[in-house]
Short mmCIF file of all heavy atoms in Angstrom, two decimals:
data_model
loop_
_atom_site.label_atom_id
_atom_site.label_comp_id
_atom_site.label_asym_id
_atom_site.label_seq_id
_atom_site.Cartn_x
_atom_site.Cartn_y
_atom_site.Cartn_z
N ALA Z 1038 -33.49 -27.58 60.46
CA ALA Z 1038 -33.66 -28.85 61.18
C ALA Z 1038 -32.70 -29.93 60.67
O ALA Z 1038 -32.13 -30.68 61.44
CB ALA Z 1038 -35.10 -29.32 60.99
N LEU Z 1039 -32.45 -29.93 59.40
CA LEU Z 1039 -31.53 -30.95 58.79
C LEU Z 1039 -30.07 -30.64 59.27
O LEU Z 1039 -29.35 -31.55 59.57
CB LEU Z 1039 -31.56 -30.93 57.28
CG LEU Z 1039 -32.82 -31.57 56.65
CD1 LEU Z 1039 -32.85 -31.26 55.11
CD2 LEU Z 1039 -32.82 -33.04 56.88
N CYS Z 1040 -29.72 -29.34 59.37
CA CYS Z 1040 -28.36 -28.99 59.83
C CYS Z 1040 -28.22 -29.44 61.29
O CYS Z 1040 -27.18 -29.96 61.67
CB CYS Z 1040 -28.18 -27.53 59.72
SG CYS Z 1040 -27.88 -26.95 58.07
N LEU Z 1041 -29.22 -29.13 62.05
CA LEU Z 1041 -29.19 -29.50 63.49
C LEU Z 1041 -28.96 -31.04 63.61
O LEU Z 1041 -28.08 -31.51 64.33
CB LEU Z 1041 -30.45 -29.08 64.15
CG LEU Z 1041 -30.59 -29.27 65.66
CD1 LEU Z 1041 -29.56 -28.44 66.38
CD2 LEU Z 1041 -32.02 -28.90 66.13
N ALA Z 1042 -29.77 -31.79 62.93
CA ALA Z 1042 -29.69 -33.26 62.99
C ALA Z 1042 -28.34 -33.80 62.48
O ALA Z 1042 -27.86 -34.83 62.94
CB ALA Z 1042 -30.83 -33.89 62.22
N ALA Z 1043 -27.73 -33.11 61.53
CA ALA Z 1043 -26.47 -33.51 60.92
C ALA Z 1043 -25.27 -33.14 61.73
O ALA Z 1043 -24.14 -33.50 61.40
CB ALA Z 1043 -26.33 -32.99 59.50
N GLY Z 1044 -25.51 -32.37 62.79
CA GLY Z 1044 -24.36 -31.98 63.71
C GLY Z 1044 -23.57 -30.79 63.20
O GLY Z 1044 -22.43 -30.62 63.58
N VAL Z 1045 -24.25 -29.93 62.41
CA VAL Z 1045 -23.62 -28.65 62.05
C VAL Z 1045 -23.52 -27.81 63.30
O VAL Z 1045 -24.46 -27.75 64.08
CB VAL Z 1045 -24.45 -27.93 60.97
CG1 VAL Z 1045 -23.99 -26.49 60.72
CG2 VAL Z 1045 -24.42 -28.76 59.64
N ASP Z 1046 -22.40 -27.15 63.46
CA ASP Z 1046 -22.19 -26.26 64.65
C ASP Z 1046 -22.71 -24.87 64.40
O ASP Z 1046 -23.31 -24.25 65.28
CB ASP Z 1046 -20.70 -26.20 65.08
CG ASP Z 1046 -20.22 -27.59 65.42
OD1 ASP Z 1046 -20.80 -28.21 66.36
OD2 ASP Z 1046 -19.19 -28.02 64.87
N VAL Z 1047 -22.40 -24.34 63.22
CA VAL Z 1047 -22.81 -22.96 62.92
C VAL Z 1047 -23.47 -23.02 61.53
O VAL Z 1047 -22.86 -23.43 60.54
CB VAL Z 1047 -21.60 -21.99 62.89
CG1 VAL Z 1047 -22.03 -20.60 62.38
CG2 VAL Z 1047 -20.90 -21.92 64.23
N LEU Z 1048 -24.67 -22.48 61.49
CA LEU Z 1048 -25.37 -22.26 60.17
C LEU Z 1048 -25.22 -20.77 59.86
O LEU Z 1048 -25.74 -19.92 60.54
CB LEU Z 1048 -26.83 -22.70 60.32
CG LEU Z 1048 -27.77 -22.35 59.11
CD1 LEU Z 1048 -27.20 -22.91 57.81
CD2 LEU Z 1048 -29.18 -22.91 59.35
N PHE Z 1049 -24.44 -20.51 58.81
CA PHE Z 1049 -24.27 -19.13 58.37
C PHE Z 1049 -25.22 -18.85 57.21
O PHE Z 1049 -25.17 -19.53 56.19
CB PHE Z 1049 -22.78 -18.93 57.92
CG PHE Z 1049 -22.52 -17.56 57.37
CD1 PHE Z 1049 -22.85 -16.41 58.11
CD2 PHE Z 1049 -21.89 -17.36 56.11
CE1 PHE Z 1049 -22.61 -15.13 57.64
CE2 PHE Z 1049 -21.64 -16.09 55.69
CZ PHE Z 1049 -21.99 -15.00 56.40
N TYR Z 1050 -26.10 -17.92 57.50
CA TYR Z 1050 -27.19 -17.74 56.55
C TYR Z 1050 -27.44 -16.18 56.28
O TYR Z 1050 -28.29 -15.58 56.78
CB TYR Z 1050 -28.46 -18.35 57.25
CG TYR Z 1050 -29.75 -18.27 56.50
CD1 TYR Z 1050 -29.85 -18.69 55.23
CD2 TYR Z 1050 -30.89 -17.73 57.09
CE1 TYR Z 1050 -31.05 -18.65 54.50
CE2 TYR Z 1050 -32.09 -17.62 56.41
CZ TYR Z 1050 -32.11 -18.09 55.13
OH TYR Z 1050 -33.32 -18.03 54.43
N PRO Z 1051 -26.45 -15.66 55.52
CA PRO Z 1051 -26.53 -14.19 55.30
C PRO Z 1051 -27.57 -13.82 54.28
O PRO Z 1051 -27.95 -14.64 53.47
CB PRO Z 1051 -25.14 -13.90 54.74
CG PRO Z 1051 -24.74 -15.18 53.98
CD PRO Z 1051 -25.41 -16.26 54.74
N ASP Z 1052 -28.03 -12.59 54.33
CA ASP Z 1052 -28.91 -12.15 53.24
C ASP Z 1052 -28.05 -11.36 52.23
O ASP Z 1052 -26.88 -11.13 52.42
CB ASP Z 1052 -30.15 -11.41 53.73
CG ASP Z 1052 -29.79 -10.10 54.43
OD1 ASP Z 1052 -28.64 -9.59 54.21
OD2 ASP Z 1052 -30.61 -9.63 55.23
N ASN Z 1053 -28.71 -11.05 51.17
CA ASN Z 1053 -27.99 -10.44 50.02
C ASN Z 1053 -27.29 -9.12 50.39
O ASN Z 1053 -26.14 -8.88 50.02
CB ASN Z 1053 -29.04 -10.09 48.98
CG ASN Z 1053 -28.52 -10.28 47.61
OD1 ASN Z 1053 -27.46 -10.95 47.42
ND2 ASN Z 1053 -29.11 -9.72 46.59
N ASP Z 1054 -27.90 -8.29 51.26
CA ASP Z 1054 -27.32 -7.04 51.63
C ASP Z 1054 -26.07 -7.23 52.47
O ASP Z 1054 -25.15 -6.44 52.44
CB ASP Z 1054 -28.31 -6.18 52.48
CG ASP Z 1054 -29.50 -5.86 51.65
OD1 ASP Z 1054 -29.48 -6.02 50.44
OD2 ASP Z 1054 -30.57 -5.40 52.28
N GLN Z 1055 -26.04 -8.35 53.22
CA GLN Z 1055 -24.85 -8.65 54.02
C GLN Z 1055 -23.69 -8.99 53.02
O GLN Z 1055 -22.53 -8.72 53.33
CB GLN Z 1055 -25.11 -9.87 54.92
CG GLN Z 1055 -25.80 -9.47 56.16
CD GLN Z 1055 -24.93 -8.68 57.18
OE1 GLN Z 1055 -23.79 -9.01 57.36
NE2 GLN Z 1055 -25.51 -7.62 57.72
#
Side-chain angles (χ1 to χ4, degrees):
L1039 286 171
C1040 285
L1041 185 64
V1045 168
D1046 298 304
V1047 176
L1048 172 54
F1049 177 52
Y1050 179 53
D1052 63 21
N1053 216 16
D1054 298 346
Q1055 279 290 315

